[in-house]
Amino acid sequence: MVLFKHHGQTAAVDEKRMSKEQFKEWLKTVDVDGDGKISKQELTNALRALGLHFSGWKAGRGIVHADLNKNKHVDGDKEISALIAYANKRWGMNIY
């Protein structure tokens, strides 16, 4: 289980299994600078906190796969959906 905070509320999720809504809420906590975009470094830190090995490499590959507008960040619903698909396929997660 991993705890995350958003809007002053704390929630616990299983780091390998979560709903799409939980994943989206988790991504909001990953965006530490609050710019609405997930950078490679932010994703790396988040994956490391989940205990995933090779978190930098996994974050980089996830960004490349999900970054549809090629701005080197994950932003917008389509890119988040692409990251969810990638996480299910490559990170061993179950996002339903």
Side-chain angles (χ1 to χ4, degrees):
M1 297 294 264
V2 68
L3 294 176
F4 66 88
K5 285 189 174 196
H6 185 62
H7 295 300
Q9 295 182 347
T10 302
V13 296
D14 180 338
E15 59 269 12
K16 297 289 185 174
R17 180 169 164 41
M18 62 181 86
S19 71
K20 288 181 183 178
E21 287 307 312
Q22 287 173 317
F23 187 83
K24 289 176 184 179
E25 287 298 312
W26 174 74
L27 277 181
K28 290 177 185 175
T29 69
V30 169
D31 181 19
V32 293
D33 61 8
D35 65 356
K37 303 175 194 173
I38 306 300
S39 69
K40 179 185 175 196
Q41 189 60 55
E42 289 171 327
L43 191 55
T44 297
N45 293 341
L47 294 178
R48 187 173 293 129
L50 290 179
L52 295 178
H53 298 289
F54 307 106
S55 56
W57 184 81
K58 287 178 179 179
R61 297 304 305 150
I63 296 282
V64 166
H65 180 79
D67 183 18
L68 304 175
N69 63 5
K70 305 300 181 204
N71 69 348
K72 298 186 181 183
H73 291 84
V74 174
D75 54 339
D77 291 335
K78 288 183 181 181
E79 291 187 2
I80 291 171
S81 292
L83 186 61
I84 288 170
Y86 189 82
N88 275 327
K89 185 175 181 181
R90 299 291 183 171
W91 295 343
M93 297 180 82
N94 181 8
I95 303 166
Y96 53 93

